[in-house]
């Protein structure tokens, strides 16, 4: 009964002060919405980076010839020939935590089918490659170990190559020429699209490494060794073991630096995670600032508008409203305004996120915590600063409140 | 003698403004009995409003005692004071104090909103009744800005009547009314008074004082005269004697 009357009073006051209500709500709406949208962008790009990296093979360990090029300049590792097939065999033999391993040789060249030609890169590998890169086949099949042994002239094509040299044909079973050497197409790789760094992962040609080594590049060393650890956690152990094996294989003295570089995807992930972690921290900082500014805005308008109504509070007390009645009225008002504003803010934030995703094509991911935190902060600020000045006014003698200018 | 509804003793009210102290009431004492109709007069700044605010439990005296209906106001807590204001007192402010952008009827309903014993229907009915009593039956839904000064004053009077108070405290309730309307209001007050409601009525006009049974005159925060009026005029009578308005 009493609470019903107070609800009625609060509701009337809200309707009576449309502009004030609107402005207060606007502060809350924008505060909440901007935080949600901003964090959705941050979380989205973080998730997309993670996805790209794990699509590259999350357990992957790579060995390249030449010293670590992240260190001080030491000359490019490009034509260093320190990695050989024997290294591959030794690693395969001795490292138990690896489930797939392949030698890699690669080189550029033209893919030609009749009048269509397309510059691409050929990767010479063994059948383990698909498992290491976590890539499937759209059609056809992978070459076999026997075909590797015999250095067969068979290839698998990435979708970009297919699009360019087989615009309207089914490629499997057809012949192409790579640097004028004829190959039979036996399969098409699953489409992977661009990675976050903008590289086209489908612009590849895959062939047995023996074929590429002998018939295309005419080399006997390897450009790379790729392996996949049994699990993500084993990757660093694998890196250590491989390093040890290669150092002894290459007969390096303790004083000498490695003449090869072993890296796990794990490392790469942590590099990028820390980048995106930075991004998130930055976004959280920006979001916190906008939340703070939003909060101050809400605080101001609530405080001023309640203060302005000191006279009204005085009158309500003069005709018999108790302090608790007045407080309850203002609390209900503040709650109604804050909650409604907060909900509208969440709605606007989600709408903005959908808009960003669909029209700007930025990856987004709405984080539940951003909704909860921004809603809570704005609602609590609104409620507190709607209640606090009312509490102060209600503690005055009615006549003092009535005299307030 | 009937019971004492208001009893003040050596009441003082000081206002401190920085280093300066204004002595608005310098120790006044008097008693109003139930059923009295007292006019309080005095020049501007003599302390009439200050005293009335204290009588209405809207303000606290600096010193002295105030007993309302036998209870010392100092002993009451804020909620009890609110209840007294809500159920026993009808207060008419010198400056009306109506809620802006709020219709006459809702302004008049306000005291009843804080009284949970009154239902919505009764609240509305009593508000309409009070507005009709002050001659504003046709202006129920007008907001203060759509009413004349005198009409606003009458809304404020209606608001003071709506809770059926036992004590009406009016601060220049007819200050903005023409002679005819103020006689109408005075006859309404006389009628209420005849039903036993005690009235303290602040005014500047001596011809209003003739409708009361007692006149208290303040000067510079002191009572300089407290006189029983043996020759009470009837406002209804005076109203009838007024020359007919020609339109
Ligand atoms: N809140 C206040 N602060 C300071 N001084 C005050 C305050 N209220 C009243 N006064 C002073 O107290 C004195 C009495 O004021 P009060 O309002 O009671 O006069 P009044 O008799 O009602 O006059 P009027 O007929 O003009 O309404 C005045 O000198 C006024 O300046
Ligand atoms: Mg006055």
């Amino acid at each position: 009964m009493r609470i019903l009357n107070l609800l009625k009073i609060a509701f009337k006051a809200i309707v009576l002060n449309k502009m004030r209500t609107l402005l207060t709500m606007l502060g809350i709406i924008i505060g909440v919405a901007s935080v949600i949208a901003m964090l959705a962008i941050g979380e989205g790009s973080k998730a997309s980076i993670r996805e790209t990296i794990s699509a590259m093979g999350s357990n992957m360990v790579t060995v390249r010839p030449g010293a670590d090029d992240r260190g001080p300049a030491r000359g490019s590792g490009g034509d260093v020939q320190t990695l050989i097939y024997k290294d591959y065999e030794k690693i395969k033999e001795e490292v138990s935590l690896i489930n797939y391993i392949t030698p890699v040789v690669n080189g550029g060249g033209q893919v030609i089918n009749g009048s269509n030609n397309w510059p691409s890169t050929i990767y010479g590998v063994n059948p383990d490659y698909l498992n290491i890169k976590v890539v499937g086949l759209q059609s056809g099949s992978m070459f076999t170990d026997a075909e590797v042994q015999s250095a067969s002239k068979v290839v698998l094509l990435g979708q970009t190559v297919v699009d360019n040299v087989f615009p309207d044909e089914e490629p499997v079973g057809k012949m192409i020429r790579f640097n004028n050497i004829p190959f039979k197409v036996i399969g098409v790789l699953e489409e992977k699209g661009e990675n976050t760094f903008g590289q086209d992962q489908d612009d590849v040609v895959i062939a047995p490494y023996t074929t590429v080594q002998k018939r295309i590049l005419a080399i006997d060393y390897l450009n790379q060794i790729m392996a996949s650890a049994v699990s993500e956690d084993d990757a660093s152990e694998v890196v250590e073991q491989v390093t040890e094996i290669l150092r002894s294989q290459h007969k390096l003295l303790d004083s000498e630096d490695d003449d090869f570089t072993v890296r796990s995807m794990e490392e790469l992930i942590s590099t990028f995670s820390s980048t995106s972690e930075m991004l998130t921290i930055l976004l959280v900082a920006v979001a916190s600032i906008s939340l703070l500014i939003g909060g101050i805005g809400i605080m101001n308008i609530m405080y001023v508008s309640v203060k302005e109504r000191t006279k009204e509070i005085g009158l309500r007390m003069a005709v018999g409203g108790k302090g608790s009645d007045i407080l309850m009225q203002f609390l209900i008002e503040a709650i109604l305004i804050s909650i409604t504003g907060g909900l509208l803010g969440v709605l606007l934030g989600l709408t903005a996120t959908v808009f960003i995703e669909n029209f700007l094509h930025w990856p987004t991911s709405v984080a539940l915590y951003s909704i909860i935190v921004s809603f809570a902060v704005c609602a609590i600020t609104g409620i507190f600063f709607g209640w606090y000045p009312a509490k102060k006014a209600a503690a005055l003698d009615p006549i003092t409140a009535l005299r307030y200018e | 003698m009937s019971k004492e509804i208001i009893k003040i003793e050596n009441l003082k009210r000081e206002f401190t403004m920085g280093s300066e102290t204004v002595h608005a009431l310098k120790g006044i004492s008097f008693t109003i009995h139930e059923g009295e109709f007292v006019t309080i007069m005095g020049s501007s700044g003599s302390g009439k409003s200050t005293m009335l605010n204290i009588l209405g439990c809207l303000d606290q005296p600096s010193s002295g005692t105030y007993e309302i209906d036998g209870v010392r106001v100092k002993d009451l807590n804020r909620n009890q004071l609110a209840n007294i204001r809500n159920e026993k007192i009808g207060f008419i402010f010198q400056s009306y104090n109506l809620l802006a952008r709020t219709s006459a009827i809702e302004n008049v309903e306000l005291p009843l909103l804080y009284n949970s014993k009154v239902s919505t229907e009764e609240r509305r009915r009593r508000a309409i009744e009070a507005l009709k009593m002050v001659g504003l039956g046709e202006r129920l839904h007008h907001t203060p800005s759509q009413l004349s000064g005198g009409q606003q004053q009458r809304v404020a009077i209606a608001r003071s009547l709506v809770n059926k108070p036992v004590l009406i405290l009016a601060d220049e309730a007819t200050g903005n009314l023409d002679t005819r309307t103020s006689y109408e209001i005075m006859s309404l007050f006389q009628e209420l008074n005849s039903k036993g409601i005690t009235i303290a009525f602040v005014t500047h006009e001596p011809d209003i004082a003739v409708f009361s049974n007692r006149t208290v005159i303040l000067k510079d925060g002191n009572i300089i005269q407290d006189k029983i009026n043996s020759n009470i005029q009837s406002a209804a009578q005076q109203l009838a004697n007024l020359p007919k308005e020609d339109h």
Side-chain angles (χ1 to χ4, degrees), chain A residues 403, chain B residues 15 17 22 24 43-50 94 172 204:
Chain A
R403 285 236 177 80
Chain B
F15 296 104
M17 301 157 70
V22 180
S43 54
S44 181
S46 56
K48 304 183 296 295
S49 295
T50 306
Q94 193 168 5
E172 315 225 7
H204 273 121

Side-chain angles (χ1 to χ4, degrees), chain A residues 88 101-105 122-132 135-137 139-158 172 183-189 204-213 216:
Chain A
Y88 158 76
I101 182 161
T102 177
V104 180
V105 284
I122 193 163
Y123 286 86
V125 295
N126 73 14
D128 277 3
Y129 177 82
L130 295 187
N131 294 318
I132 297 170
V135 58
L137 298 179
S139 57
S141 55
M142 188 59 174
F143 46 78
T144 60
D145 285 326
E147 282 168 312
V148 174
Q149 287 298 310
S150 61
S152 296
K153 292 188 271 184
V154 291
V155 290
L156 291 93
L157 304 179
V172 176
F183 284 89
K184 185 180 177 194
V185 179
I186 58 166
V188 177
L189 299 173
V204 290
V205 178
I206 305 292
Y209 68 92
T210 45
T211 317
V212 177
Q213 245 183 344
I216 296 182

Side-chain angles (χ1 to χ4, degrees), chain B residues 209-215 227-233:
Chain B
V210 299
F211 302 124
S212 68
N213 71 327
R214 179 177 163 199
T215 304
K227 192 177 79 190
I228 301 289
N229 178 8
S230 50
N231 182 23
I232 307 168
Q233 307 283 312

Side-chain angles (χ1 to χ4, degrees), chain A residues 5 16 317 319 394 396, chain B residues 78 85-86 101 106 113-114:
Chain A
N5 275 357
L16 216 59
M317 290 195 291
V319 299
L396 300 172
Chain B
R78 293 177 64 86
R85 289 194 297 265
N86 188 235
R101 283 165 289 150
E106 282 178 328
L113 269 174
Y114 292 103

Side-chain angles (χ1 to χ4, degrees), chain A residues 64-113:
Chain A
R64 289 173 189 276
D68 189 342
D69 50 14
R70 286 178 300 181
R74 223 173 272 208
S76 142
D79 49 344
V80 184
Q81 305 181 4
T82 51
L83 213 56
I84 53 172
Y85 187 74
K86 196 116 186 68
D87 294 333
Y88 158 76
E89 276 188 321
K90 199 79 182 163
I91 295 169
K92 184 174 181 169
E93 231 167 76
E94 291 188 8
V95 184
S96 55
L97 293 170
I98 286 175
N99 49 7
Y100 301 107
I101 182 161
T102 177
V104 180
V105 284
N106 55 274
Q110 292 286 327
V111 185
I112 304 165
N113 170 36

Side-chain angles (χ1 to χ4, degrees), chain A residues 52-307:
Chain A
T52 304
I53 291 170
S54 51
M56 287 159 80
S58 60
N59 305 344
M60 196 160 88
V61 174
T62 59
V63 187
R64 289 173 189 276
D68 189 342
D69 50 14
R70 286 178 300 181
R74 223 173 272 208
S76 142
D79 49 344
V80 184
Q81 305 181 4
T82 51
L83 213 56
I84 53 172
Y85 187 74
K86 196 116 186 68
D87 294 333
Y88 158 76
E89 276 188 321
K90 199 79 182 163
I91 295 169
K92 184 174 181 169
E93 231 167 76
E94 291 188 8
V95 184
S96 55
L97 293 170
I98 286 175
N99 49 7
Y100 301 107
I101 182 161
T102 177
V104 180
V105 284
N106 55 274
Q110 292 286 327
V111 185
I112 304 165
N113 170 36
S115 60
N116 299 319
N117 77 58
W118 177 252
S120 188
T121 308
I122 193 163
Y123 286 86
V125 295
N126 73 14
D128 277 3
Y129 177 82
L130 295 187
N131 294 318
I132 297 170
K133 292 289 265 185
V134 203
V135 58
L137 298 179
Q138 284 184 51
S139 57
S141 55
M142 188 59 174
F143 46 78
T144 60
D145 285 326
E147 282 168 312
V148 174
Q149 287 298 310
S150 61
S152 296
K153 292 188 271 184
V154 291
V155 290
L156 291 93
L157 304 179
Q159 187 60 45
T160 304
V161 180
V162 171
D163 289 344
N164 285 287
V165 300
F166 289 103
D168 356 79
E169 286 175 87
E170 173 52 42
V172 176
K174 305 272 163 35
M175 296 300 289
I176 56 146
R177 290 148 73 85
F178 190 91
N179 285 0
N180 277 329
I181 300 156
F183 284 89
K184 185 180 177 194
V185 179
I186 58 166
V188 177
L189 299 173
E190 215 171 60
E191 215 171 330
K192 284 196 122 182
E194 281 185 9
N195 64 16
T196 310
F197 319 109
Q199 287 172 319
D200 182 356
Q201 301 177 88
D202 299 320
D203 191 6
V204 290
V205 178
I206 305 292
Y209 68 92
T210 45
T211 317
V212 177
Q213 245 183 344
K214 286 179 203 149
R215 301 189 200 266
I216 296 182
L217 302 173
I219 54 172
D220 54 7
Y221 58 87
L222 302 177
N223 295 113
Q224 199 179 339
I225 297 168
M226 275 185 192
S228 128
V230 174
S231 80
E232 232 177 277
D233 299 334
D234 293 325
S236 57
E237 177 68 29
V238 169
V239 170
E240 258 170 51
Q241 289 183 16
V242 168
T243 307
E244 212 171 292
I245 291 165
L246 288 184
R247 280 189 74 87
S248 80
Q249 279 292 105
H250 294 184
K251 303 188 170 62
L252 296 174
L253 300 172
D254 284 351
S255 58
E256 283 176 300
D257 288 332
D258 292 349
D259 59 353
F260 56 89
T261 308
V262 191
R263 254 199 249 182
S264 69
M265 243 335 137
E266 231 351 73
E267 261 179 87
L268 203 61
I269 289 177
S270 69
T271 311
F272 284 107
S273 299
S274 71
T275 316
S276 64
E277 216 55 65
M278 278 290 293
L279 189 75
T280 310
I281 290 171
L282 197 78
L283 278 159
V284 166
V286 173
S288 305
I289 291 170
S290 65
L291 206 53
L292 188 76
I293 292 172
I296 291 172
I298 297 164
M299 182 177 100
N300 271 334
I301 195 145
M302 264 295 185
Y303 189 85
V304 169
S305 72
V306 174
K307 201 84 184 146

